[in-house]
Amino acid sequence: MSMSTPKFSDLSIKFFDSKSRADVELETRDPGKVSIYACGPTVYDHPHLGHGRTAFTYDMIRRFLRYVGYEVTLASNITDIEDKIIKRAKEEGVSESEITSKYEKSYRDQLDSLGIEHPDHVPHATEYVPEMIELIERLIKNEMAYETSTGVYFSVPNFKDYGQLSGRTVEDLLESAGARVDVDDEKRSPIDFALWKFAKPNEPTWDSPWGPGRPGWHIECSAMCVGILGPGFDIHGGGTDLVFPHHENEIAQSVGAGDTFARYWIHSAMLNISGEKMSKSLGNFITLADAIKAHGPRALRLFMIQTHYRSQMEISDESLAAAKSALDRLDTFVRRVDQLGIAGDPVPIDSELQMKFVRTMANDFAAPQALAVIFEALRHANSALAVEDYDLVATLFATITELSQVLGINFDQGKAKSNVDPVWVEEKIQERETARANKDFALSDSIRDELATKDVVIEDTKDGTTWHVETKTK
């Protein structure tokens, strides 16, 4: 195995572009830089597993692109004005800003525990109302929007390319509009959507050329992503549930106003709970906080890595237990290396495994297959430990650690902080070894139980007994 560090200058990164429905090669607007906008949540409730999966996807993509040398700028918005927020504020008898502050903090706290890095920009919709108004003015000027007594609407039939992202034609939408769109006789077409909603009593409002009101949902992201990343930014992302109408309408608004919009589109798939779509009505709705509490944030992140971002994620107790077991294998190896004192001075990583990992990830961000490369390194490392080839162990330890960090697996998080005295632990382990040698298994078990009361977990291996302090989930 080669020990030199490879270069990534000739790396071709390919992925599935949702708009063209084809695999494309990444060609960025600015050489060496990638700009990404990922739709964030509407903060009116605690985040669920789907929010975590979506945020994880773009965190994973960002980490990899940065690892291979790109300067990555990630923007992910917070929708802090929307119908659901207004409804929730009325239900709880508080202001809209209190609702959004409460649930944005809940969202950020859970993502922090999953090791999801903060975006470079976190725009709030309420901060970009002037930009939204300016965008609407351009749409009216271009005859893509019009005013009624209830607000300003986008004229879908006037935008000839409508439906390119979702594959839905204006004709198909018109056929089904009667069953799913509220009747508004003033709208020129039943499929036209709101850009600006005129003020209603006891709702937040902003001044505009058309009178007091508030923006529609879709116009918010159009204004924020171009406002932050500029025209023709590289990648727009979100969950597949946003393809229509949200992302379709974003394209129509921005292009209709004369902006060059996103070069590529990436969408992460939804998830099932034990074979059924997660839904409050089915009673299988799981908040992100509950999932983290039940399984631990690191195991949950590794579980997300094990499913390709474009594949439906199937969640069950068995699949999460398997992820926890896989994480334990990695953590056990790291602890053994630490206790043997092998991971001392920095050493070069294995370049062949590194390149295998990088080329795997460069093929549509195939994290499950990239994780398999890490476990391939783990198998080699455990074999090297068995024959005490500690130089090779050190190289593979460095490789596993570095590549795991690219996927956001941090082994420092697996080492629990504790006030337990290591000298006392070693003495207890020695007492237990003596008891086992004397076949006093009752004493041996009692010592194990005593250690467990201090959250000390011991593991008997052919090289002797190792121990660690159990990591408690939040």
Side-chain angles (χ1 to χ4, degrees):
M1 294 183 181
S2 172
M3 303 297 179
S4 61
T5 301
K7 297 179 180 179
F8 305 122
S9 58
D10 62 342
L11 185 67
S12 172
I13 297 176
K14 296 181 179 180
F15 58 92
F16 184 81
D17 173 38
S18 301
K19 187 177 181 183
S20 65
R21 297 176 185 81
D23 292 329
V24 297
E25 184 173 352
L26 178 64
E27 295 181 4
T28 61
R29 177 187 61 187
D30 304 311
K33 298 180 180 180
V34 182
S35 47
I36 305 173
Y37 183 87
C39 276
T42 300
V43 283
Y44 70 98
D45 204 346
H46 293 293
H48 55 66
L49 272 172
H51 293 124
R53 204 270 171 103
T54 300
F56 159 77
T57 296
Y58 303 100
D59 180 69
M60 175 266 295
I61 291 172
R62 176 199 202 184
R63 285 172 181 268
F64 173 68
L65 292 174
R66 191 171 59 203
Y67 181 67
V68 298
Y70 282 98
E71 180 184 326
V72 184
T73 301
L74 173 65
S76 185
N77 71 296
I78 295 290
T79 296
D80 59 349
I81 180 63
E82 204 261 348
D83 292 345
K84 295 184 183 72
I85 294 170
I86 295 170
K87 182 173 182 278
R88 189 63 177 263
K90 289 178 180 178
E91 290 172 351
E92 296 193 15
V94 297
S95 68
E96 288 81 8
S97 61
E98 287 177 276
I99 290 294
T100 57
S101 295
K102 173 183 176 180
Y103 292 114
E104 181 181 355
K105 182 179 186 305
S106 174
Y107 175 74
R108 181 52 55 197
D109 286 348
Q110 306 317 317
L111 296 195
D112 284 347
S113 68
L114 282 174
I116 293 173
E117 298 177 337
H118 290 209
D120 300 290
H121 302 277
V122 185
H124 291 62
T126 52
E127 300 168 344
Y128 280 78
V129 174
E131 288 83 355
M132 297 173 203
I133 291 173
E134 188 273 336
L135 184 56
I136 296 170
E137 288 179 319
R138 283 193 279 142
L139 286 167
I140 293 174
K141 182 180 178 181
N142 291 348
E143 298 184 347
M144 290 289 173
Y146 59 92
E147 183 180 345
T148 73
S149 65
T150 58
V152 180
Y153 289 85
F154 185 90
S155 178
V156 172
N158 282 11
F159 186 70
K160 302 306 179 186
D161 292 330
Y162 193 85
Q164 283 190 342
L165 181 67
S166 63
R168 305 187 188 198
T169 66
V170 171
E171 291 73 20
D172 291 340
L173 292 171
L174 285 169
E175 281 186 22
S176 62
R180 62 179 183 79
V181 177
D182 293 335
V183 176
D184 184 342
D185 292 336
E186 290 188 65
K187 288 168 62 173
R188 296 177 184 174
S189 172
I191 59 176
D192 293 348
F193 58 88
L195 301 171
W196 188 263
K197 300 178 180 182
F198 288 150
K200 294 180 181 178
N202 303 314
E203 287 190 358
T205 64
W206 287 261
D207 290 332
S208 81
W210 319 283
R214 58 186 174 88
W217 175 36
H218 311 299
I219 198 70
E220 296 175 355
C221 280
S222 281
M224 287 186 284
C225 58
V226 176
I228 292 169
L229 301 175
F233 63 93
D234 296 309
I235 297 171
H236 195 313
T240 54
D241 58 323
L242 298 181
V243 171
F244 183 86
H246 186 51
H247 289 164
E248 192 72 73
N249 289 351
E250 278 190 67
I251 294 172
Q253 292 165 158
S254 295
V255 176
D259 288 335
T260 304
F261 208 47
R263 298 165 69 91
Y264 309 107
W265 289 82
I266 293 177
H267 288 95
S268 56
M270 297 294 99
L271 53 89
N272 282 354
I273 308 291
S274 298
E276 292 186 307
K277 180 180 177 181
M278 186 177 73
S279 168
K280 286 184 177 179
S281 63
L282 294 173
N284 65 351
F285 188 84
I286 301 178
T287 67
L288 194 51
D290 286 345
I292 290 170
K293 182 177 180 180
H295 305 285
R298 296 171 67 245
L300 190 58
R301 183 174 184 111
L302 190 137
F303 171 72
M304 291 179 181
I305 293 168
Q306 290 176 321
T307 304
H308 189 269
Y309 77 93
R310 286 197 294 116
S311 297
Q312 189 102 335
M313 194 166 74
E314 298 282 346
I315 296 179
S316 65
D317 289 340
E318 293 78 15
S319 60
L320 283 161
K324 178 66 167 62
S325 176
L327 181 64
D328 285 345
R329 288 169 58 198
L330 287 167
D331 284 344
T332 297
F333 168 69
V334 171
R335 284 193 298 270
R336 289 184 68 190
V337 170
D338 282 347
Q339 290 169 7
L340 289 168
I342 298 171
D345 297 330
V347 297
I349 72 171
D350 186 291
S351 64
E352 290 181 11
L353 287 170
Q354 182 189 37
M355 280 308 303
K356 187 174 182 179
F357 174 93
V358 166
R359 295 196 186 283
T360 298
M361 281 292 289
N363 181 17
D364 200 17
F365 309 110
Q369 290 75 25
L371 183 65
V373 175
I374 293 173
F375 277 92
E376 178 185 343
L378 179 64
R379 288 193 297 273
H380 292 321
N382 283 329
S383 296
L385 273 173
V387 296
E388 299 183 359
D389 185 350
Y390 294 147
D391 287 341
L392 180 55
V393 171
T395 295
L396 292 170
F397 172 81
T399 305
I400 291 167
T401 301
E402 181 170 315
L403 300 184
S404 295
Q405 287 174 347
V406 178
L407 297 179
I409 303 171
N410 189 335
F411 294 114
D412 288 337
Q413 294 174 327
K415 301 170 185 176
K417 295 179 180 179
S418 173
N419 294 324
V420 67
D421 181 358
V423 175
W424 174 80
V425 174
E426 294 292 349
E427 288 175 349
K428 286 295 177 182
I429 288 175
Q430 187 56 55
E431 288 178 22
R432 178 172 174 270
E433 290 298 317
T434 301
R436 293 176 72 193
N438 294 333
K439 301 190 183 303
D440 189 346
F441 299 114
L443 177 57
S444 171
D445 290 344
S446 70
I447 293 171
R448 179 188 285 272
D449 293 341
E450 183 181 3
L451 289 166
T453 64
K454 302 292 185 182
D455 299 327
V456 175
V457 178
I458 57 176
E459 298 167 357
D460 296 316
T461 73
K462 73 178 191 63
D463 298 318
T465 300
T466 64
W467 64 276
H468 68 277
V469 179
E470 184 177 24
T471 304
K472 296 295 186 182
T473 61
K474 295 183 179 180

